[in-house]
Amino acid sequence: MQTKILLDEDQMPKAWYNILADLPTPLDPPLHPGTGKPLVPEDLAQIFPMELIMQEMSPKRMIDIPSEVQDVLRLWRPSPLYRAHRLEKQLKTPAHIYYKYEGVSPPGSHKPNTAVPQAYYNMKAGIERIATETGAGQWGSALAFATQLFGLECTVYMVRASYTQKPYRKSMMQVWGAECIPSPSTRTKSGSAVLQKDPETPGSLGIAISEAVEDAATHSNTNYSLGSVLNHVCLHQTVTGLESKEQLATVDEYPDVVIGCLGGGSNFAGISFPFAGDKLKGTHRDTDIIAVEPASCPKLTKGVYTYDYGDVAGLTPLLKMFTLGHDFIPPSIHAGGLRYHGASPIDSKLIHDGIMRAVSYHQSEVFDAAQTFARTEGIIIAPETSHAAKAAIDEALKCKKSGEAKTILFNCSGHGHFDMSAFDAYYAKQLVDYEYPEKLIRESLARLPKIPGA
Amino acid sequence: MQTKILLDEDQMPKAWYNILADLPTPLDPPLHPGTGKPLVPEDLAQIFPMELIMQEMSPKRMIDIPSEVQDVLRLWRPSPLYRAHRLEKQLKTPAHIYYKYEGVSPPGSHKPNTAVPQAYYNMKAGIERIATETGAGQWGSALAFATQLFGLECTVYMVRASYTQKPYRKSMMQVWGAECIPSPSTRTKSGSAVLQKDPETPGSLGIAISEAVEDAATHSNTNYSLGSVLNHVCLHQTVTGLESKEQLATVDEYPDVVIGCLGGGSNFAGISFPFAGDKLKGTHRDTDIIAVEPASCPKLTKGVYTYDYGDVAGLTPLLKMFTLGHDFIPPSIHAGGLRYHGASPIDSKLIHDGIMRAVSYHQSEVFDAAQTFARTEGIIIAPETSHAAKAAIDEALKCKKSGEAKTILFNCSGHGHFDMSAFDAYYAKQLVDYEYPEKLIRESLARLPKIPGA
């Protein structure tokens, strides 16, 4: 009874899959926040290296992974694909449940799949330091790891509330040589301005983004890096879907259902794009591709598909995406990585076009799923990942009713070793299932930006 | 450039290696603490299942791993063997450094290698609950994981100081359905007695052992389980050495140096016994096998080889081993898993007979090694594991001087995700390098037990 499907190192993908090449109609372009005109590469050159800007807009279907990047990815890739025999048995389902386990990376999630190439292209471009923001610390620690291996410095602006309450991701960054600064800080004008108004502010991801972008824009040796949303980030994550397809093929399987949780959208993009591509090309028309979001931050199921900013202050390009409004502040659920107001433009378009769909869950049912998963498959998964596990369990239970032996694949995107306080809250019955914040969403959507010049 | 050497699931060892079969002279027997006579199986039957008691004394060279145990081990085994290319490059050494990575198990260390078969044999014997003790929680969480998968209840007596200061291992136990009780507790007579004397006591491993043994001895449905020291525990850990030998053979290598850290001795036994067996049989006479201990708990380098108790209260059998005296309390270093006064009788005999040797390090140089390892190989390892990494680095640096291209293997026994506060102390320059506690050791050795009836 095979449990894990492993690939040898030489079976690791040599190229990323760029779904832009297979979209039936082109993506609506990102717009300059000042002029409202479509962005040109030069608009981004101040904070990104040209190789990444080209990937952001590339029409090429397969984009080679540099060998120096492959050398680092091999520290944990190809990652294992598991058949969840014990979970299936517990659910008494005829479904075959598979999960791709990304928690084996040193920082413990899928994030280094893009942190490594981003660090590499910046190093190649002669950049000496990268600035970024992080919420709970998952992305910041992944970038600290990646920059360390390519000899770059790294500055992480970490939302002050998390910096204080969840200090151990900060400790990881320090082990990997990065500088981690509570945001807002006096390092930047934007941070100082916020502190002047409210010295006790807990900070927010929107403020931290502003600080990191300002840091990059004002230092010639420094670039900015983003851990999700953008096309090139989704591109880098496709190693998970490409490997999964290869691994499933060794046991003559192809998924009927593909599932991932969605915060900014890169983890979901990674597992799903190679299968969505097959669907677009018509070779597998019936694959059910499901993005899972928290009920308290329901951009896909309750938001609108329109142009909006990526940050609170409105400094980023305008992106066409599902959004709850760029100044929507979601309730404080434990799945911090899913608390973002928007979704990657490619994910958004594919959901809008009906190629993929979305579901949402409340956090207590998500933690129930995490407990079931830990007690059958053994692995303690992150709250974000638990959203995907919950959807996989629900699909498997539908199979139990219908008698169908569907093949279900989900992206098990990270372990929960730095989230144990969330499990403590679960067992103390302190988890709050926030209602859909209808009024907040309505108000926030009323403040959607007008496109300049339109 | 190959980074990881993986084995397929069907290459996982089907039998454990029992080095008792290859010892040139037999092990001195454990003695009954009351009579001073060699133990007979019946002496242990009140708290251990007969299959484990038989393994403890078996003369058989290879002992089959039950298929139900293999099914669980396959959740993470065979574990990867890494070639530390980046570390070698950083050290500029001609040595080949390999590490066996046990941090991929769900609880994050080598401990479940024995927790799983122990839970299985107890389940087969009709036992419904297992009681055990844990210090920092590594063993308690491994047994919680294993008992959950075999449908047993689990009660863990956790040293109160750790229960309060490092709460997240306790949280893991809860996720896996175990009951975790701060020790001393009012559940047992021995715990109550300690609390009556000192209600504010931080507890100790010695007290927690007494509570778990008493719990098992006073409940007919309950057995006791130990995470190191005993022969059957060392036996179960040999999967790591057996796999490593197989993995090295795929690249035509055999280690010149084998290294593991030593607390109770099972992790070191696991990686080293298959190679020590070759040394005893004369096929590889020159292998240098090194146990690494903390300078503040130097039983191998400053203790004596004699009969002593396994616990503070003197309730366990007398074991012939290297010891600092059963009531020696080591300074509070961060490598909690290495703070034990004795060493497994088999490890002790092999070190005493010159088949293996021991070295010791202070904790600040050990954390330097952990940082070097994290910044080259990417993995943040546990403080215990870092002792082995430090010794591997030192051996590789010797090779740099001598120009020898030795093959060095070490057991990378666990990740440090639950030890980040120790790294914080390291960066805050708060780590204390305790002197050898000469006076404490001398006093404690003066209290070594007399063998009853001798």
Side-chain angles (χ1 to χ4, degrees), chain A residues 1-9 68 71-78 82 86 99 101 103-108 145 148-149 165 167-178 370-371 374-380 415-418 420-421 423-424 427-428, chain B residues 1-9 68 71-78 82 86 99 101 103-108 145 148-149 165 167-178 370-371 374-380 415-418 420-421 423-424 427-428:
Chain A
M1 199 171 70
Q2 190 175 11
T3 301
K4 296 183 300 298
I5 303 172
L6 303 176
L7 297 177
D8 285 333
E9 291 185 355
E68 295 93 327
D71 283 346
V72 177
L73 295 182
R74 267 200 293 272
L75 287 172
W76 73 97
R77 304 212 72 84
Y82 279 87
R86 287 166 197 277
Y99 56 97
Y101 188 41
V104 294
S105 77
F145 159 78
Q148 173 62 232
L149 292 185
Q165 288 163 18
Y168 294 142
R169 284 267 167 204
K170 170 196 68 183
S171 314
M172 289 181 95
M173 295 178 221
Q174 192 166 18
V175 173
W176 284 315
Q371 176 178 289
R375 293 187 177 182
T376 51
E377 294 300 308
I379 303 173
I380 296 177
H415 62 61
H417 299 172
F418 293 89
M420 297 312 300
S421 59
F423 283 95
D424 288 349
Y427 288 113
Chain B
M1 198 169 72
Q2 190 174 12
T3 301
K4 297 183 299 299
I5 303 172
L6 303 176
L7 297 177
D8 285 333
E9 291 185 356
E68 295 93 327
D71 282 346
V72 177
L73 295 181
R74 267 200 293 272
L75 287 172
W76 72 96
R77 304 213 72 85
Y82 279 88
R86 287 165 197 277
Y99 56 97
Y101 188 42
V104 294
S105 77
F145 159 78
Q148 172 63 231
L149 292 185
Q165 288 163 18
Y168 294 142
R169 283 267 167 205
K170 170 197 70 183
S171 313
M172 290 182 95
M173 296 178 221
Q174 192 167 18
V175 174
W176 284 316
Q371 175 178 289
R375 293 187 177 183
T376 50
E377 295 299 307
I379 303 172
I380 297 177
H415 63 61
H417 299 172
F418 294 90
M420 296 313 298
S421 60
F423 283 95
D424 287 350
Y427 288 112

Side-chain angles (χ1 to χ4, degrees), chain B residues 25-86:
Chain B
T25 55
L27 210 58
D28 291 303
L31 306 178
H32 192 286
T35 65
K37 292 197 177 138
L39 279 192
V40 291
E42 291 66 34
D43 292 330
L44 299 169
Q46 197 182 16
I47 58 169
F48 290 113
M50 198 46 72
E51 291 256 24
L52 290 176
I53 297 170
M54 290 295 116
Q55 287 180 1
E56 190 67 18
M57 306 176 173
S58 173
K60 232 180 120 184
R61 181 171 288 114
M62 300 303 298
I63 295 178
D64 287 345
I65 306 176
S67 67
E68 295 93 327
V69 171
Q70 291 186 38
D71 282 346
V72 177
L73 295 181
R74 267 200 293 272
L75 287 172
W76 72 96
R77 304 213 72 85
S79 68
L81 181 79
Y82 279 88
R83 171 80 184 268
H85 290 296
R86 287 165 197 277

Side-chain angles (χ1 to χ4, degrees), chain B residues 81-224:
Chain B
L81 181 79
Y82 279 88
R83 171 80 184 268
H85 290 296
R86 287 165 197 277
L87 177 60
E88 291 171 18
K89 198 175 157 192
Q90 166 87 8
L91 300 176
K92 300 189 176 72
T93 176
H96 296 187
I97 306 175
Y98 291 89
Y99 56 97
K100 179 70 167 168
Y101 188 42
E102 293 293 304
V104 294
S105 77
S109 80
H110 64 290
K111 290 288 187 194
N113 293 331
T114 184
V116 171
Q118 289 196 48
Y120 168 75
Y121 289 120
N122 275 292
M123 179 273 291
K124 277 246 295 186
I127 288 297
E128 291 165 5
R129 187 168 67 98
I130 300 183
T132 197
E133 72 287 335
T134 198
Q138 192 61 266
W139 168 244
S141 56
L143 193 66
F145 159 78
T147 48
Q148 172 63 231
L149 292 185
F150 287 112
L152 297 175
E153 291 175 58
C154 182
T155 303
V156 181
Y157 293 88
M158 185 170 184
V159 176
R160 185 184 292 275
S162 300
Y163 184 94
T164 312
Q165 288 163 18
K166 295 191 171 181
Y168 294 142
R169 283 267 167 205
K170 170 197 70 183
S171 313
M172 290 182 95
M173 296 178 221
Q174 192 167 18
V175 174
W176 284 316
E179 179 186 35
C180 180
I181 299 168
S183 166
S185 75
T186 53
R187 282 282 185 99
T188 63
K189 283 185 189 169
S190 45
S192 299
V194 176
L195 281 174
Q196 211 158 22
K197 274 192 205 160
D198 177 9
E200 302 302 317
T201 176
S204 77
L205 206 54
I207 297 165
I209 293 178
S210 303
E211 290 206 83
V213 171
E214 180 186 327
D215 185 335
T218 53
H219 294 91
S220 62
N221 71 339
T222 303
N223 265 348
Y224 171 72

Side-chain angles (χ1 to χ4, degrees), chain A residues 268-347:
Chain A
F268 175 66
I271 195 76
S272 69
F273 282 2
F275 301 102
D278 290 349
K279 195 167 177 175
L280 290 168
K281 285 177 260 174
T283 57
H284 290 84
R285 290 183 192 283
D286 297 327
T287 317
D288 188 14
I289 305 177
I290 308 172
V292 191
E293 64 179 7
S296 57
C297 187
K299 58 216 166 202
L300 304 174
T301 52
K302 305 271 177 176
V304 296
Y305 181 55
T306 187
Y307 272 105
D308 198 2
Y309 298 114
D311 68 330
V312 179
L315 301 174
T316 70
L318 287 154
L319 302 172
K320 181 82 172 281
M321 60 181 177
F322 276 101
T323 179
L324 293 168
H326 59 282
D327 60 1
F328 172 75
I329 307 282
S332 285
I333 55 167
H334 288 280
L338 306 185
R339 291 178 69 243
Y340 186 67
H341 68 279
S344 122
I346 309 180
D347 287 327

Side-chain angles (χ1 to χ4, degrees), chain B residues 353-371:
Chain B
D353 292 353
I355 303 299
M356 302 164 160
R357 67 184 177 102
V359 297
S360 72
Y361 289 109
H362 284 289
Q363 65 179 347
S364 62
E365 58 191 344
V366 160
F367 275 83
D368 288 344
Q371 175 178 289

Side-chain angles (χ1 to χ4, degrees), chain A residues 57-76:
Chain A
M57 306 176 173
S58 172
K60 231 180 122 185
R61 181 171 288 116
M62 300 304 298
I63 295 178
D64 288 346
I65 306 176
S67 66
E68 295 93 327
V69 171
Q70 291 186 39
D71 283 346
V72 177
L73 295 182
R74 267 200 293 272
L75 287 172
W76 73 97

